[in-house]
Amino acid sequence: GQIVQAVMSGDYKEFAAAAGERADEAMAEEFKSSRDNLIENFGQFFSFRHFGQLETPMFVNLFYAVKFVRTGSQGKKIQHEQLMQLIFGSKANRCQLVGMRFI
């Protein structure tokens, strides 16, 4: 949940630490751009809940239902959930985020 929380709050340093990456400027810009794109497409981040886990021989896939809220054309609040997939693999004997997507 730390990675999802960091994406929701826009905290790149927390995201990088939880993902097992080193924080750098280029990745911080990419993180911000991806997050801005999500907000533009889906609305503001609102909440999340753990949705499940799939284990495969090489990876662990965690799924979260992320709720977004936006204002519709009539001024009414619209809430909806998107499924977020986090893919973890082992690198140098430690768990590291190798992929992330909304599906």
Side-chain angles (χ1 to χ4, degrees):
Q2 240 183 329
I3 289 175
V4 183
Q5 187 62 49
V7 169
M8 289 179 64
S9 68
D11 187 334
Y12 175 70
K13 285 183 180 172
E14 182 182 334
F15 171 82
E21 299 177 357
R22 67 177 172 75
D24 69 31
E25 261 330 287
M27 292 301 287
E29 271 308 307
E30 190 175 314
F31 174 84
K32 182 185 180 324
S33 174
S34 294
R35 187 175 178 280
D36 289 348
N37 193 40
L38 287 169
I39 291 169
E40 185 178 320
N41 289 324
F42 301 129
Q44 293 296 320
F45 288 96
F46 185 75
S47 63
F48 72 94
R49 60 189 169 92
H50 186 256
F51 198 72
Q53 177 175 325
L54 295 175
E55 291 187 27
T56 62
M58 307 245 332
F59 302 101
V60 174
N61 293 270
L62 299 180
F63 294 90
Y64 293 88
V66 179
K67 187 177 286 186
F68 293 87
V69 177
R70 62 182 170 84
T71 304
S73 55
Q74 320 259 308
K76 191 175 180 183
K77 295 278 184 209
I78 300 168
Q79 294 186 13
H80 73 282
E81 290 181 315
Q82 292 290 133
L83 199 57
M84 181 182 196
Q85 178 184 20
L86 302 178
I87 304 162
F88 290 90
S90 182
K91 186 175 180 183
N93 287 332
R94 58 181 260 242
C95 197
Q96 182 171 7
L97 183 70
V98 293
M100 178 174 86
R101 66 183 176 153
F102 279 88
I103 48 178

